[in-house]
């Protein structure tokens, strides 16, 4: 956000560093989130950038203050990859999450048994490591605290229809998971749509992705795209717009909510 504000103000990194009477490397670390920023320095920078919006200034001061604190996920740093920890931090700050899943139920909507099955399938080398598996399940459960905030995360999930017919963890686990989707969809901040198998736009999907949107206009949206080996983040406006446009197309071709719920109920009945 500080980098965006500096750019909009037409200031260079060197000019910002000079205003703070510090090295450019320090400013670079601050903008790359590798170093915190003191409240006094932040006020100086905001004045230098001409930021007069009091609400935005207060939000930035809050972020700077909490940015020096370690999130709950730091308790699990021994079992979390840096990429996963980064994602959890972004998810924790987001106001909205638009997610597309091509083969799995979105993480925030998974039951513990479904999560356990996914973890064991994704990492067979550690499938018998009970402590590792339980730690991952615990983290997934704690992530759902975003729904218990004073301003709960708003989730809009589009799930490929084929996902409903997989048997991740076996029949009983899948039945429980599908019923949980029906229950979650009753929440006002959660919307679930099913993308039918016969929708042509399935051909445009190369894997799951999500779009994280944040409370303040100055905070740019962040897109993540998952692969088997890693997660790639996109923040450039053109990249974000590409995925946002794709999500809109998927939203228009996915089934309306009531029809989506009917499709999930049909999948449950088919498995009985």
């Amino acid at each position: 956000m500080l980098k965006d504000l500096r750019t909009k103000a037409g200031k260079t990194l060197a000019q910002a560093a000079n205003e703070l009477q510090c090295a450019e490397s320090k400013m670079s670390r601050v903008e790359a989130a590798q170093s915190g920023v003191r409240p006094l320095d932040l006020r100086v920078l905001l004045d230098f950038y001409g930021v007069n919006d009091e609400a935005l200034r207060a939000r930035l001061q809050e972020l700077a203050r909490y940015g020096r604190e370690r999130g709950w996920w730091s308790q699990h740093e021994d079992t979390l990859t840096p990429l996963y920890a980064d994602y959890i931090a972004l998810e924790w700050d987001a106001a909205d999450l638009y997610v597309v899943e091509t083969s799995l139920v979105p993480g925030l909507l998974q039951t513990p048994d479904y999560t356990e099955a996914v973890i064991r399938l994704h990492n067979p080398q550690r499938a018998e490591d009970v402590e590792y598996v339980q730690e991952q399940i615990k983290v997934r459960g704690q992530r759902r605290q975003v729904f218990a905030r004073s301003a709960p995360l708003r989730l809009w999930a589009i799930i490929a229809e084929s996902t409903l017919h997989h048997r991740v963890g076996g029949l009983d686990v899948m039945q429980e998971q599908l019923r949980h989707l029906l229950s979650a969809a009753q929440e006002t901040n959660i919307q679930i749509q099913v993308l039918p198998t016969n929708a042509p736009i399935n051909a445009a999907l190369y894997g799951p992705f999500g779009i994280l949107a944040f409370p303040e206009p100055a905070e740019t949206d962040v897109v993540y795209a998952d692969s088997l080996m890693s997660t790639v983040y996109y923040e450039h406006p053109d990249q974000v717009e590409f995925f946002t446009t794709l999500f809109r197309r998927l939203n228009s071709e996915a089934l309306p909510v009531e029809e989506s719920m009917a499709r999930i109920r049909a999948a449950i009945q088919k498995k009985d």
Side-chain angles (χ1 to χ4, degrees):
M1 291 176 70
L2 285 175
K3 182 178 180 180
D4 287 344
L5 290 171
R6 174 176 61 76
T7 302
K8 290 176 183 176
K11 307 296 185 181
T12 66
L13 195 67
Q15 289 173 323
N18 183 64
E19 189 70 14
L20 287 185
Q21 298 183 331
C22 69
E24 283 188 48
S25 59
K26 175 182 176 179
M27 276 303 307
S28 181
R29 290 196 303 276
V30 168
E31 290 189 355
Q34 296 172 347
S35 177
V37 59
R38 297 184 307 163
L40 177 60
D41 288 345
L42 178 58
R43 287 195 292 273
V44 170
L45 287 173
L46 294 180
D47 290 342
F48 186 51
Y49 300 156
V51 178
N52 300 315
D53 185 329
E54 290 301 324
L56 176 57
R57 291 177 70 101
R59 170 65 174 159
L60 288 166
Q61 292 283 3
E62 180 185 32
L63 288 173
R65 183 170 66 254
Y66 288 114
R68 295 191 297 274
E69 298 180 2
R70 290 162 65 84
W72 60 261
W73 49 92
S74 64
Q75 304 168 23
H76 308 279
E77 58 187 11
D78 291 341
T79 55
L80 297 181
T81 65
L83 274 174
Y84 190 19
D86 287 345
Y87 172 75
I88 293 173
L90 287 170
E91 184 181 77
W92 190 254
D93 286 337
D96 300 272
L97 172 57
Y98 306 89
V99 62
V100 175
E101 279 291 349
T102 56
S103 60
L104 290 172
V105 170
L108 289 174
L109 298 177
Q110 292 179 5
T111 64
D113 286 343
Y114 184 95
T115 293
E116 179 176 354
V118 170
I119 291 168
R120 293 183 185 279
L121 290 168
H122 276 185
N123 200 342
Q125 294 85 354
R126 304 194 68 175
E128 302 308 317
D129 185 340
V130 176
E131 184 176 347
Y132 168 80
V133 172
Q134 291 304 311
E135 191 78 357
Q136 295 295 315
I137 295 171
K138 184 177 180 180
V139 169
R140 190 67 55 88
Q142 286 182 287
R143 280 176 52 197
R144 285 191 284 274
Q145 292 177 28
V146 293
F147 295 135
R149 300 179 318 203
S150 56
L153 176 78
R154 293 183 291 266
L155 174 64
W156 192 327
I158 296 176
I159 306 172
E161 184 177 12
S162 60
T163 300
L164 309 179
H165 302 288
H166 296 160
R167 291 201 176 187
V168 177
L171 179 59
D172 291 342
V173 170
M174 201 66 204
Q175 290 276 35
E176 179 190 27
Q177 177 60 75
L178 294 178
R179 292 192 182 97
H180 179 68
L181 285 180
L182 292 175
S183 175
Q186 301 305 308
E187 301 294 332
T188 56
N189 60 310
I190 297 175
Q191 180 158 306
I192 300 172
Q193 286 183 279
V194 172
L195 182 67
T197 302
N198 61 0
I201 200 170
N202 279 285
L205 293 177
Y206 294 93
F209 70 89
I211 305 169
L212 294 150
F214 301 91
E216 298 296 335
E219 296 176 88
T220 57
D221 292 355
V222 176
V223 174
Y224 68 88
D226 287 330
S227 69
L228 285 174
M229 298 298 293
S230 66
T231 299
V232 178
Y233 291 98
Y234 300 97
E235 298 181 67
H236 190 279
D238 290 344
Q239 296 171 326
V240 173
E241 181 59 28
F242 174 86
F243 281 97
T244 301
T245 300
L246 176 57
F247 188 89
R248 292 195 190 103
R249 291 173 61 202
L250 290 163
N251 166 236
S252 65
E253 295 203 32
L255 298 173
V257 173
E258 284 305 315
E259 289 184 41
S260 294
M261 296 304 101
R263 199 65 62 98
I264 294 173
R265 285 191 288 270
I268 293 173
Q269 295 169 0
K270 185 176 180 180
K271 293 178 185 296
D272 284 337

